[in-house]
Amino acid sequence: MMPEVFHDIPIHAADDDEAVRLLGELVEKALPGAGEEAQTALAVTCALGVDELLAAGAEYAGICVTAIDETPCTATVFAALLDSPDSVGTRDTVKAISASLRRLDGGEVSRIELPCGSAVSCIGARDDKVIGELTDSGEGFTFPMSYIRVYVPFPNGTTLMMEMSTPTAAGWDMFSTMFGNIVSSIRLFHADGSPLITSAVET
């Protein structure tokens, strides 16, 4: 369940006209009453990030723009479906994902239990880049981006990966709490509609 403060980024728009229309609706909801310059900047930022989200396999993406103690803060959430590592059962998949992240990612990796079953979280930071087209000087620059990723393996060999990222340290506590509530709301079901808890499949 996504909080109302997150607004859908149109990553799967049918064409450019629909993308422009949906981006217009997004910035009006995210920045109500803001000037045209601020709304245009947000629309351009979202539009330029679509290709990167799609390259990451995003099935859904949303953005939140808010203020905390008068400090403007933003966060992006996206979800993707990935192929699980070769393993037997979701418990082994969790172990394999954890080992891979510890080896390659460099973030703080933990096994967690969600209502839907076992999962892996990874908390870390990376350098992101602002391209020159978005700066007054015309020159790009890098900035630190904090993130949380959660990997939820399914019994069918697919893993749901969700990420929350924010460049604004003032918003970290609020956004990370929101993200914890989001991933805790994930519910899975069998084909017959009965609830599925992945960690209970192997017990």
Side-chain angles (χ1 to χ4, degrees):
M1 298 290 293
M2 294 299 298
E4 291 183 359
V5 292
F6 277 90
H7 306 285
D8 295 356
I9 299 173
I11 59 175
H12 296 303
D15 52 43
D16 290 344
D17 289 340
E18 183 183 28
V20 169
R21 177 180 64 80
L22 293 173
L23 282 170
E25 294 177 359
L26 183 160
V27 298
E28 288 177 5
K29 293 176 182 176
L31 295 173
E36 182 178 350
E37 183 177 352
Q39 290 188 344
T40 299
L42 178 60
V44 170
T45 299
C46 290
L48 291 174
V50 167
D51 285 345
E52 184 176 348
L53 288 166
L54 292 175
E59 300 284 342
Y60 165 84
I63 188 169
C64 173
V65 182
T66 188
I68 299 175
D69 295 331
E70 299 185 356
T71 300
C73 296
T74 64
T76 302
V77 167
F78 80 91
L81 293 175
L82 313 174
D83 291 334
S84 298
D86 290 334
S87 55
V88 179
T90 54
R91 284 200 180 95
D92 285 346
T93 302
V94 163
K95 292 178 182 177
I97 292 172
S98 298
S100 177
L101 291 173
R102 289 190 178 99
R103 187 170 60 251
L104 300 174
D105 192 278
E108 178 186 337
V109 179
S110 304
R111 174 174 171 164
I112 59 175
E113 289 295 329
L114 299 175
C116 65
S118 300
V120 181
S121 72
C122 182
I123 301 174
R126 61 174 180 261
D127 286 335
D128 274 13
K129 185 173 183 180
V130 172
I131 61 174
E133 287 87 339
L134 295 178
T135 67
D136 292 336
S137 66
E139 303 209 352
F141 63 90
T142 59
F143 60 95
M145 180 76 75
S146 300
Y147 66 84
I148 306 175
R149 290 195 203 107
V150 169
Y151 298 79
V152 183
F154 300 160
N156 65 355
T158 301
T159 292
L160 169 67
M161 188 278 284
M162 295 191 70
E163 178 187 283
M164 183 282 293
S165 60
T166 178
T168 44
W172 175 258
D173 287 345
M174 184 186 77
F175 291 137
S176 58
T177 298
M178 279 187 183
F179 188 65
N181 292 332
I182 291 168
V183 297
S184 292
S185 74
I186 297 171
R187 297 294 185 270
L188 307 175
F189 300 90
H190 293 281
D192 63 4
S194 61
L196 166 63
I197 300 176
T198 58
S199 51
V201 170
E202 301 151 34
T203 60

